[in-house]
Amino acid sequence: MKQLEPKFRCTGCNRGILNRSVARCLYCGADLPAEARLAPEVIAQRDAEHARMEEARKRLAQHPPPRPQAQGNSAADVIDGMSTGIDVIDLIGDGVSLFGKLLD
Ligand SMILES: [Zn+2]
């Protein structure tokens, strides 16, 4: 996994801003510049998507693969082993689209 270079830095301590949904630096407590903050509607949307992911994860946890692999427990194996195939593929499709948005 490659190191992500922070897009914004704190004006107080010059550390990368990791959480743009808070108004203050997590390290030194300095006010973050407006351009470094996320718009409230973006934060709300992100929270909603996070909640949706969390929900999907819980549902997946309730349906463990019926035949666990001794090795190489890849996503493909999990999908292959699912009895509730359609439901799970639907959930995974949801997660993939969210992942795409996060990388955007
Ligand atoms: Zn700081």
Side-chain angles (χ1 to χ4, degrees):
M1 195 163 166
K2 76 173 177 147
Q3 187 73 30
L4 286 175
E5 182 63 25
K7 202 170 181 178
F8 297 97
R9 290 188 174 275
C10 173
T11 51
C13 65
N14 204 40
R15 290 199 203 230
I17 293 167
L18 300 176
N19 187 352
R20 292 175 59 206
S21 57
V22 296
R24 285 173 184 279
C25 174
L26 296 175
Y27 301 105
C28 70
D31 282 333
L32 297 180
E35 68 265 22
R37 296 183 207 168
L38 290 174
E41 60 266 27
V42 174
I43 296 170
Q45 192 188 26
R46 214 183 49 166
D47 284 352
E49 286 185 351
H50 182 82
R52 229 156 42 88
M53 277 292 277
E54 213 28 50
E55 195 59 38
R57 203 179 56 79
K58 279 181 197 159
R59 283 175 63 190
L60 277 175
Q62 286 168 5
H63 300 283
R67 48 181 178 86
Q69 305 285 318
Q71 59 178 8
N73 195 19
S74 73
D77 288 330
V78 173
I79 294 166
D80 191 43
M82 285 290 183
S83 55
T84 53
I86 303 293
D87 188 39
V88 170
I89 287 166
D90 185 47
L91 288 176
I92 289 172
D94 222 30
V96 167
S97 69
L98 175 60
F99 195 61
K101 279 180 202 162
L102 289 175
L103 290 177
D104 204 36

